Amino acid sequence: MRSPTASCLRGPALYSRRPSSAPLRLALQHRFKSSVDDPSTSQVPRDGTRARATPSHHSAQELEPSLGNSNLLKRTPEEALATKGLVFADGHGLKGPTGKGRETRQMNLHQAVRDAMRTALTSNPKSFIFGEDVKAHGVFRCTQGLAEEFGQKRVFNTPLTEQGIAGFGIGLASVGSTAIAEIQFGDYIFPAFDQLVNEAAKQHYASGGSYPLPGGSFTVRAPVMSVGHGGLYHSQSPEGFFLGAAGLKVAVVSTPIQAKGLLLAAIRDPTPTIIFEPKVLYRAAVEQVPVDDYTLPLGPTDEVRPGTDLTVVSYGTPLYTTLRAIELLSNPPPALVQFLPEKLRPPNPAPSIQLIDLRTINPLPIGEITEAVRKTGRLVIVHEAGKSGSVGNNLAGEVGRRAFDYLEAPIGLAAGWDVPVPLAYEKFYQPDVIRVFDKLVETLSY
Amino acid sequence: MIRRARVPRSFFASLSQRNLITGPPPDLPAVHHTTSTGSPLPTPTPLPHFTPHPSLNRLMLHSMDDPRTDRPRDPRQLVYVDESQADRAARAGRMSSPLRRGAHESWWNAEQGWFNAVAKTIPTYRVLDEEGRPVKGAKLPQLTKEEALKIYKVMALIPMVDNVLYQSQRQGRISFYMQCSGEEAAVVGSAAAMRSTDEVFGQYREQAALLYRGMSLSRMMGQCFGNIDDDSSKGRMMPVHYTAPDLGFHTITSPLATQLPQAAGAAYALKTDDARQGDCVICYFGDGAASEGDFHAALNMNAVLGGPLVWFCRNNGFAISTPVIDQYAGDGIASRGPAYGIDTIRVDGNDALAVLAATREARRRAVQGKKGVLVEAMTYRVGHHSTSDDSSAYRPIEEVKEWTVVDNPISRFRAWLVTQGWWSEEEDKAMAAANKKEVLKIFNKSEKLPKPKLGEMFNDVWAVPRDGALPEVIIEQRAELGHLLKKYGEAWEPWRKELKRFVEQGEDVMDCDSGASR
């Protein structure tokens, strides 16, 4: 049976109409198929084999296609439901309560965030959503229609004060409510820093585990990273500042499926959690998202593609950039072949590159990354934030300590520069496709 | 068991309200501790005695013994009254009586005196009505024809500039824009009340004040395009984030209310600087920013520490989509001024003359008293919050239209100018045509100018003395980019395309070869 919310399901494939066998096999079939059928995916299969010859000239648009064309996004229900780590709240697994499977719907990232919050409001009457301008729809439309549906007592505007919003959320959670706060931009999270780092992060520890009271949970959402023209105050990646805040969980989502699953996990986690949402993905990232109430685990990383020669770790927007760089390396356009050493050039086989979506920034999943690097011997980290005080440097330090004997090259870091994000220069501030490409080649050929 | 003694009502009646000091029974001895700083306070704090301390005996009034029973009263019921004025002052200082703990002036009151306002209603000052006619009893500010026309010309120019830049954002020619539509009188009227040597801390919607202070259009547009004319931030900041130190205009940054404590600091510097006596700071902010902690911190610091400062609130009804009803429950922003001990006025923000007069008086008080003064200008944000906003989602278009027609700050002021005989329709038409031509000319010129040198990305991060060395991290990272540009600048189409937009096309960074880095 279709649920009312699935009535706007797009695309022909309802998972429930399929035979119940082998969703994974179907998904994998689709992966290979899509890479051949869909010209936007640039003829690069995910298994790393070289594809057919490329045209001789590429435009900038072809070299850096829009994020929405990325292979990161799951365009069929089968692919979406094959996502690792999905846990459905009804406990019925992929077959669903009816045994006929699960439904998915095409959503962009802000719709997936909204879907998660709608699910939270529906499933828990003691949950609240608040922040600046959330009543109308939020500046990125993540709360569109929620105030109308659930009433202004549960979805409400706050006065314009980030420290107030954060403290208010801690208070709500303290007495057993579920607080879902929006900080309008990650760039404006700093007035809330005291409440988040000194209070939310430490509350459980300081109270001997007493607070928040049972049922209490505090989640902060904030848009981060750049869209290409945000300048100093609309392009920052502030996650590094929260690395030292033991007691907080911090995650960065990179796809709509994650946005829903990680947000719902955060909402149901008694630990105060910050979910950073890359703002350029709100509209650009579109994929099939399971309609039902599900979570993805906060903590483990996600292997986007397997590989044996090099491990690349990224999160958020640069994950797309990195995947594109790996694709270019697997199937280099003529203009870039000259920059490859002999062993990386066709017809030699393409390097086998593992791409890991870090997802969680705090606590850093160091063990998993170390394990991966012990197998590949090489590590490159990519993020938009500047190098100093960054996730990359923290990770590199830890992995370097633990996997020193296994490393065959210095750990590479493609990151923003240690300057404020400058508007007119953003293209050269970001670790874009070519900078990541260069770092991959450098690390592989060391 | 202690028997309660009755005090005759006539006894209380004989004491005036202000002379009667009730308060806790004086069990604690009023001992002035002359311990040196840093010595520990006596611990533990002794519990109060049941009987009065002998040292307090002299404070007891004999008449307080109940005359009818002739028995001493229960000490806890004792009422004691003040001794001599000098004794009382000394004792008040010693004991820090509640009357001295932080209230300006108060009195003991046997009834609970709840309150929720210091005045029932705060009047809104205006001198012109919606049609530009002086209101009854209004005293117009002194204004020459030249001064009045200067105000009007900026008020009439800014919509032209705003429209061109707003439309250009819509066409993707600049990245962002914010109009000041509807708030022309508040911004220009207040700017006209300040002097050229004053310091201005803006929020982001005060480009008209900047024009009034003499910013050229090419500089403004240069900032919005982030081209080589952008001496505000050398292409680093979003449009409307102006800086003009020569005009006393401090850098606009996007975080809200951060400028307020900074303004308090600047005002304190003016107060203590002999060379700047007579100068003043004006700090603009909105009704939304006033909810930030920085607002409260700033007004309090300025009130306590002093410094000539005009706090100018543009209460335009909205913080993006959040209407004032979701922003505060008190009586506007003006009601907060007295809470900090700050002289305050509320003014009709669409009446340029009233804003001018009120801000002039605010400035006079601020400079004379070396203190902060709060002006709340009531206005209406006619435009969207910014080019990223569509206000039709949260307010009816009719409401906006009504404001532009019924209470238009520009036409109000213009009508007054016309009745003065200082302006005419023909002059207005000619000026509008000339403005349009000029704005478009500068816009077209500005759009064609390239971006600054790419290396400006790495400059000014840390302030480095002229002959000082750049921080290592900057040298290294600049060189890393330089190497990459040399390697891929031609071959990688997205970079080749982008580099063309910069003066020297990135050569300056490529030349900077001072060691590679990982």
Side-chain angles (χ1 to χ4, degrees):
Chain A
M1 281 284 273
R2 285 192 185 192
S3 70
T5 49
S7 58
C8 47
L9 177 78
R10 292 188 198 155
L14 258 185
Y15 183 62
S16 57
R17 301 277 182 269
R18 300 243 174 213
S20 61
S21 65
L24 189 65
R25 184 172 51 78
L26 284 171
L28 287 175
Q29 277 175 358
H30 179 79
R31 280 191 177 193
F32 290 112
K33 202 163 156 286
S34 72
S35 60
V36 177
D37 292 350
D38 182 357
S40 65
T41 54
S42 75
Q43 313 103 27
V44 184
R46 292 190 188 198
D47 63 354
T49 55
R50 304 274 186 196
R52 59 179 180 264
T54 52
S56 57
H57 181 73
H58 292 277
S59 70
Q61 179 61 31
E62 284 167 329
L63 292 168
E64 287 186 325
S66 62
L67 300 173
N69 293 327
S70 175
N71 279 331
L72 272 174
L73 299 165
K74 298 174 176 170
R75 296 186 177 78
T76 66
E78 293 76 22
E79 274 193 294
L81 291 167
T83 305
K84 273 171 288 178
L86 287 183
V87 177
F88 287 91
D90 55 23
H92 284 287
L94 282 175
K95 289 185 178 174
T98 58
K100 291 181 178 173
R102 299 277 182 186
E103 293 169 1
T104 64
R105 195 196 316 159
Q106 180 174 287
M107 295 183 202
N108 62 23
L109 200 140
H110 75 66
Q111 288 164 339
V113 168
R114 181 195 179 280
D115 197 47
M117 293 197 285
R118 193 183 170 280
T119 305
L121 289 167
T122 309
S123 62
N124 178 0
K126 282 170 75 180
S127 51
F128 301 90
I129 291 174
F130 54 94
E132 292 153 18
D133 301 298
V134 304
K135 192 164 89 185
H137 47 57
V139 296
F140 291 104
R141 304 199 171 257
C142 292
T143 51
Q144 181 106 48
L146 293 179
E148 286 85 348
E149 187 174 351
F150 295 95
Q152 294 179 18
K153 269 191 184 163
R154 296 182 65 199
V155 181
F156 52 91
N157 280 344
T158 63
L160 205 165
T161 164
E162 293 78 13
Q163 66 200 89
I165 293 167
F168 194 92
I170 297 170
L172 272 170
S174 291
V175 291
S177 291
T178 292
I180 308 163
E182 174 177 306
I183 300 289
Q184 198 162 75
F185 283 87
D187 308 65
Y188 305 146
I189 206 167
F190 299 109
F193 204 67
D194 192 29
Q195 288 286 354
L196 292 172
V197 174
N198 263 340
E199 298 296 335
K202 298 179 174 117
Q203 188 186 37
H204 192 65
Y205 192 75
S207 66
S210 311
Y211 283 107
L213 294 183
S217 123
F218 175 40
T219 305
V220 177
R221 299 174 35 248
V224 293
M225 302 191 187
S226 70
V227 291
H229 49 80
L232 271 63
Y233 302 109
H234 294 83
S235 290
Q236 292 180 75
S237 301
E239 67 274 2
F241 288 100
F242 295 93
L243 282 172
L248 277 186
K249 284 187 185 173
V250 182
V252 185
V253 301
S254 52
T255 63
I257 292 177
Q258 276 187 25
K260 180 174 174 183
L262 290 177
L263 181 54
L264 276 170
I267 288 168
R268 284 156 188 172
D269 192 322
T271 304
T273 304
I274 303 177
I275 301 282
F276 287 128
E277 298 157 359
K279 62 179 90 71
V280 73
L281 301 178
Y282 277 132
R283 276 194 258 178
V286 183
E287 67 180 348
Q288 290 290 329
V289 178
V291 169
D292 292 331
D293 183 346
Y294 72 91
T295 58
L296 285 169
L298 276 167
T301 61
D302 181 36
E303 190 184 52
V304 175
R305 53 176 278 158
T308 53
D309 298 335
L310 165 68
T311 300
V312 189
V313 174
S314 188
Y315 55 89
T317 317
L319 197 67
Y320 291 72
T321 314
T322 307
L323 184 60
R324 179 65 191 147
I326 293 171
E327 288 169 356
L328 283 180
L329 188 53
S330 304
N331 190 23
L336 291 183
V337 172
Q338 53 173 313
F339 300 108
L340 295 176
E342 198 56 45
K343 65 168 183 173
L344 295 179
R345 280 187 203 181
N348 288 323
S352 166
I353 299 174
Q354 179 190 33
L355 177 58
I356 294 179
D357 182 358
L358 191 63
R359 296 214 298 214
T360 316
I361 301 304
N362 189 3
L364 264 180
I366 296 161
E368 283 182 62
I369 305 297
T370 308
E371 273 314 302
V373 174
R374 281 184 179 153
K375 287 178 192 146
T376 59
R378 289 182 161 89
L379 174 63
V380 168
I381 304 158
V382 186
H383 56 61
E384 282 191 14
K387 293 184 175 186
S388 298
S390 68
V391 169
N393 275 347
N394 271 262
L395 205 53
E398 284 299 329
V399 173
R401 254 195 290 285
R402 292 155 192 242
F404 181 74
D405 287 340
Y406 299 81
L407 283 172
E408 289 166 35
I411 296 170
L413 175 57
W417 311 118
D418 285 317
V419 307
V421 187
L423 182 86
Y425 315 85
E426 272 189 42
K427 178 77 185 148
F428 295 105
Y429 172 91
Q430 305 301 346
D432 62 354
V433 172
I434 194 67
R435 270 177 65 193
V436 178
F437 174 88
D438 184 77
K439 195 57 79 177
L440 299 180
V441 173
E442 182 187 300
T443 308
L444 279 167
S445 49
Y446 184 83
Chain B
M1 189 177 158
I2 300 165
R3 284 183 60 189
R4 294 197 163 207
R6 284 188 303 124
V7 180
R9 279 177 182 278
S10 59
F11 169 74
F12 292 107
S14 69
L15 296 167
S16 79
Q17 196 176 34
R18 293 207 178 206
N19 282 338
L20 176 68
I21 297 183
T22 57
D27 288 350
L28 278 171
V31 181
H32 184 48
H33 295 286
T34 52
T35 46
S36 64
T37 315
S39 300
L41 289 169
T43 51
T45 308
L47 283 172
H49 295 281
F50 277 96
T51 51
H53 191 274
S55 71
L56 289 173
N57 279 350
R58 65 188 184 82
L59 295 179
M60 304 298 160
L61 278 188
H62 295 296
S63 61
M64 288 171 64
D65 290 344
D66 191 323
R68 284 170 299 179
T69 60
D70 206 27
R71 270 201 303 256
R73 292 170 65 247
D74 174 7
R76 286 179 302 182
Q77 297 292 318
L78 280 183
V79 175
Y80 67 103
V81 244
D82 51 357
E83 55 282 31
S84 78
Q85 195 68 27
D87 285 349
R88 190 172 66 160
R91 187 166 50 75
R94 285 201 304 275
M95 296 186 63
S96 60
S97 116
L99 281 182
R100 303 277 299 203
R101 281 194 210 126
H104 275 186
E105 195 181 326
S106 191
W107 61 91
W108 301 113
N109 192 354
E111 285 172 23
Q112 297 189 14
W114 291 90
F115 63 96
N116 194 354
V118 287
K120 266 195 172 168
T121 48
I122 301 173
T124 304
Y125 168 69
R126 63 152 55 170
V127 295
L128 298 179
D129 66 13
E130 281 84 354
E131 272 124 52
R133 291 177 301 237
V135 296
K136 200 178 163 195
K139 198 176 151 214
L140 298 182
Q142 284 195 333
L143 196 64
T144 65
K145 182 183 171 186
E146 285 66 38
E147 289 169 330
L149 286 183
K150 184 179 175 189
I151 292 173
Y152 177 67
K153 281 176 181 171
V154 175
M155 282 175 70
L157 173 60
I158 198 71
M160 197 77 75
V161 177
D162 278 359
N163 281 343
V164 167
L165 289 170
Y166 186 87
Q167 294 307 330
S168 77
Q169 194 281 340
R170 284 282 175 254
Q171 297 157 6
R173 295 154 86 174
I174 60 172
S175 57
F176 176 80
Y177 197 68
M178 302 180 101
Q179 306 160 273
C180 81
S181 182
E183 299 174 52
E184 295 90 351
V187 176
V188 183
S190 58
M194 304 305 286
R195 296 189 187 163
S196 60
T197 51
D198 291 344
E199 306 283 336
V200 184
F201 287 77
Q203 182 158 299
Y204 46 58
R205 214 183 290 281
E206 293 86 9
Q207 56 268 52
L210 196 49
L211 273 183
Y212 186 89
R213 291 176 78 83
M215 183 83 152
S216 72
L217 281 178
S218 60
R219 247 175 114 185
M220 274 180 107
M221 299 233 182
Q223 198 285 326
C224 291
F225 279 108
N227 65 26
I228 46 169
D229 270 357
D230 176 17
D231 60 354
S232 281
S233 74
K234 306 179 186 173
R236 293 168 191 149
M237 293 275 260
M238 279 173 106
V240 310
H241 290 58
Y242 304 103
T243 300
D246 51 322
L247 304 172
F249 198 89
H250 291 254
T251 305
I252 302 295
T253 62
S254 313
L256 279 172
T258 43
Q259 77 275 21
L260 278 89
Q262 298 165 9
Y268 187 78
L270 295 193
K271 171 184 149 177
T272 51
D273 186 347
D274 287 340
R276 306 237 15 208
Q277 296 305 303
D279 286 352
C280 190
V281 176
I282 185 165
C283 180
Y284 291 96
F285 57 97
D287 44 285
S291 292
E292 290 277 11
D294 273 350
F295 164 86
H296 301 276
L299 263 73
N300 195 33
M301 286 191 82
N302 175 232
V304 171
L305 297 165
L309 210 171
V310 177
W311 298 108
F312 194 93
C313 177
R314 298 180 288 100
N315 189 336
N316 67 12
F318 292 94
I320 308 191
S321 76
T322 304
V324 285
I325 194 147
D326 285 353
Q327 196 62 249
Y328 52 72
D331 186 2
I333 307 302
S335 65
R336 299 179 198 175
Y340 294 108
I342 286 178
D343 294 0
T344 302
I345 192 169
R346 174 175 287 162
V347 60
D348 179 349
N350 285 9
D351 177 354
L353 279 185
V355 173
L356 174 73
T359 314
R360 271 185 186 168
E361 173 60 13
R363 191 189 180 284
R364 189 192 68 74
R365 286 169 179 243
V367 169
Q368 200 168 55
K370 296 185 169 62
K371 64 179 185 178
V373 178
L374 174 62
V375 180
E376 182 185 29
M378 309 307 287
T379 177
Y380 186 86
R381 195 194 75 207
V382 169
H384 303 301
H385 164 73
S386 72
T387 46
S388 309
D389 178 41
D390 174 10
S391 66
S392 63
Y394 51 82
R395 62 179 186 184
I397 300 278
E398 295 72 38
E399 179 185 310
V400 182
K401 279 187 184 152
E402 192 180 324
W403 273 88
T404 55
V405 176
V406 175
D407 189 1
N408 185 318
I410 298 175
S411 52
R412 260 169 94 170
F413 189 55
R414 185 177 59 196
W416 179 76
L417 288 176
V418 171
T419 55
Q420 293 290 104
W422 289 351
W423 196 246
S424 67
E425 200 176 337
E426 295 74 49
E427 286 172 293
D428 206 57
K429 278 183 181 160
M431 182 189 71
N435 277 351
K436 192 174 179 186
K437 206 173 146 196
E438 175 77 358
V439 168
L440 286 175
K441 189 183 94 188
I442 295 171
F443 175 86
N444 289 327
K445 185 173 148 250
S446 202
E447 190 178 22
K448 291 190 185 82
L449 291 174
K451 293 181 181 186
K453 285 188 196 176
L454 183 58
E456 288 293 359
M457 168 157 62
F458 293 101
N459 292 343
D460 305 327
V461 182
W462 280 274
V464 175
R466 192 155 286 215
D467 50 351
L470 279 167
E472 194 182 334
V473 61
I474 294 293
I475 296 173
E476 276 191 14
Q477 294 186 1
R478 191 185 152 115
E480 187 180 337
L481 179 61
H483 284 293
L484 289 168
L485 290 175
K486 266 195 235 175
K487 194 169 170 185
Y488 299 105
E490 271 299 314
W492 181 245
E493 181 62 18
W495 277 13
R496 203 176 67 85
K497 218 171 110 191
E498 182 73 8
L499 280 173
K500 283 183 186 156
R501 305 173 66 183
F502 292 87
V503 163
E504 298 187 20
Q505 308 197 357
E507 295 283 343
D508 56 314
V509 174
M510 296 185 221
D511 283 344
C512 179
D513 191 357
S514 42
S517 74
R518 292 265 171 267

